[in-house]
Amino acid sequence: MTLSARLETLRLPLRDPFVIARASHGEGRRVTTVIAELRDEADGPDGPTGLGEGYPDSYYGETPATMAAVLPLLLEALAPVEDALRGPLPTARAALDATGGLMAAAIAHHGAAKCAIDIALHDLVGRRLGLPVRELVGVPGEIPPTDFTLGIDAPAVVAERARRAAGFPALKIKLGGPADVETLEAVRAVFAGPIRVDANTGWTPDGALAMLPDLQRLGVELIEQPFPARRLDQLRELQRHSRLPLVADESAVTIDDLDALVGVVAGVNVKLAKCGGIGPARRMLERARALGFRTFLGCMEETSIGIAASAVVAPLADWVDLDGCLLLAEDPVDGLELDPDKRWRLSGAPGLGLSRRVRPAR
Ligand SMILES: [Mg+2]
């Protein structure tokens, strides 16, 4: 095995407190994400380093420690394609496509650990071939603009944050708190665009049904994960009564979850950190579309490594929610730009074209 990776855990302060119905990440004030630096010793001492990222969410069973624990196993699983990854474009592309299956066969779950390696591999191969990851992966089409997400807080506080975010074409509002309708009323008073709501499993069937008329009146565009992940019966029943599309997030972790959601919800939220990176996300988005779902591309509170990698597959999404690095007080990575119309513009440099920001010595 010639691949090796170094993981670094970053604890990053958030711009605004970020609370959701089922958890407040670090009391909502800071988040923990893991950066991977991947090298192939066959490239020699001056060979490129691939940058990756995986966001460990304890809800999905991951922490920085579990990511470190499975790392050797995942790298070992890639041994059969190490040579092919160093090959010319068609060979390297086929090898990249095989890595998701190899890692899945080595161990189930651990999406964030797989994601960190998958992104770093794409970056490494792109740098070797002198090719941007977007061209390496070859997803055609335009990257839709991203929405901007606001956590649970007092309605007036959420409204003030909505006013500041009014330049975004849509807002995603976290609900499942004590004042959901009041929050939406307050946001609607300052923001004219579509509002997406996400209850993060925090609603009851009766409460959600009672809220439907208000959600429609207030211009809500979609309802994300109102009920617990396994309660597909509750999701199906609400979707039956709702003109608004329901989008499964916690119920839709990997491509294997899609079949059971057919006829249950209208849409699925795909995230690289859940399903295992660029390759698995592309396949999950394509499969979701083939099954008739509307597709939502989400993220965790990642740096722009995770967001840039997500943007590579964003043309496959109907709704884009790639704002993780915008929620951070400071993004420790350079190279990804947000256009004035809120579309991510990927660097044209090889790989993801990103670099760790060097902090001035204090
Ligand atoms: Mg969600």
Side-chain angles (χ1 to χ4, degrees):
M1 185 174 85
T2 58
L3 289 170
S4 66
R6 196 177 73 86
L7 299 184
E8 183 183 349
T9 301
L10 302 182
R11 296 182 208 287
L12 303 172
L14 290 163
R15 194 178 291 269
D16 291 317
F18 191 71
V19 174
I20 68 173
R22 61 175 167 74
S24 60
H25 304 247
E27 285 76 53
R29 299 199 171 272
R30 47 182 60 237
V31 293
T32 299
T33 189
V34 175
I35 305 294
E37 294 188 359
L38 183 80
R39 294 182 53 81
D40 187 336
E41 71 183 39
D43 292 327
D46 299 322
T49 298
L51 275 181
E53 180 174 13
Y55 184 97
D57 189 335
S58 57
Y59 176 84
Y60 296 108
E62 292 190 88
T63 67
T66 68
M67 291 177 68
V70 299
L71 179 69
L73 187 65
L74 295 175
L75 291 176
E76 187 70 46
L78 300 178
V81 291
E82 274 178 343
D83 290 343
L85 286 167
R86 285 191 295 272
L89 179 59
T91 310
R93 195 179 261 162
L96 277 173
D97 283 344
T99 57
L102 290 171
M103 289 195 278
I107 189 166
H109 311 298
H110 297 285
K114 293 169 181 172
C115 178
I117 295 175
D118 172 276
I119 296 174
L121 275 174
H122 280 83
D123 190 37
L124 181 72
V125 170
R127 285 172 194 259
R128 273 186 191 140
L129 294 173
L131 209 60
V133 170
R134 192 167 182 197
E135 289 176 37
L136 179 63
V137 174
V139 173
E142 209 180 11
I143 298 175
T146 181
D147 63 20
F148 188 81
T149 308
L150 302 174
I152 295 173
D153 215 315
V157 174
V158 179
E160 177 50 34
R161 290 177 190 151
R163 195 193 312 270
R164 273 193 272 143
F168 284 84
L171 292 180
K172 175 162 148 175
I173 308 294
K174 293 291 194 178
L175 297 182
D180 287 346
V181 174
E182 292 88 333
T183 297
L184 290 178
E185 301 267 15
V187 170
R188 182 44 84 213
V190 300
F191 182 75
I195 295 174
R196 302 162 184 173
V197 301
D198 186 357
N200 286 106
T201 75
W203 283 349
T204 62
D206 288 348
L209 206 55
M211 217 184 301
L212 277 183
D214 284 323
L215 300 180
Q216 286 180 13
R217 172 177 61 85
L218 290 164
V220 167
E221 185 183 22
L222 61 85
I223 304 168
E224 206 178 308
Q225 197 72 42
F227 309 128
R230 290 171 188 268
R231 294 309 304 265
L232 303 192
D233 56 330
Q234 295 178 348
L235 292 169
R236 182 187 288 111
E237 188 61 13
L238 185 66
Q239 183 66 88
R240 220 166 57 77
H241 287 92
S242 172
R243 273 190 284 150
L244 304 177
L246 262 60
V247 174
D249 180 2
E250 284 85 344
S251 301
V253 181
T254 73
I255 196 169
D256 295 333
D257 297 318
L258 292 178
D259 284 350
L261 291 166
V262 173
V264 174
V265 291
V268 291
N269 181 336
V270 174
K271 295 178 185 169
L272 272 64
K274 290 190 297 183
C275 69
I278 297 171
R282 178 191 187 157
R283 289 187 287 277
M284 188 170 170
L285 286 163
E286 288 172 341
R287 173 81 179 141
R289 281 196 162 173
L291 288 171
F293 291 110
R294 297 183 71 187
T295 51
F296 187 110
L297 183 64
C299 64
M300 307 293 189
E301 289 76 59
E302 291 135 308
T303 74
S304 48
I305 299 173
I307 300 304
S310 302
V312 168
V313 297
L316 293 168
D318 299 312
W319 298 295
V320 169
D321 172 34
L322 294 180
D323 59 353
C325 57
L326 303 174
L327 306 181
L328 303 174
E330 193 187 355
D331 185 352
V333 176
D334 288 319
L336 181 65
E337 302 293 333
L338 190 64
D339 279 340
D341 66 354
K342 309 304 182 190
R343 292 173 200 270
W344 288 112
R345 180 153 37 89
L346 290 160
S347 162
L352 288 171
L354 305 174
S355 54
R356 301 283 299 272
R357 188 169 297 162
V358 180
R359 286 180 168 278
R362 298 188 216 201

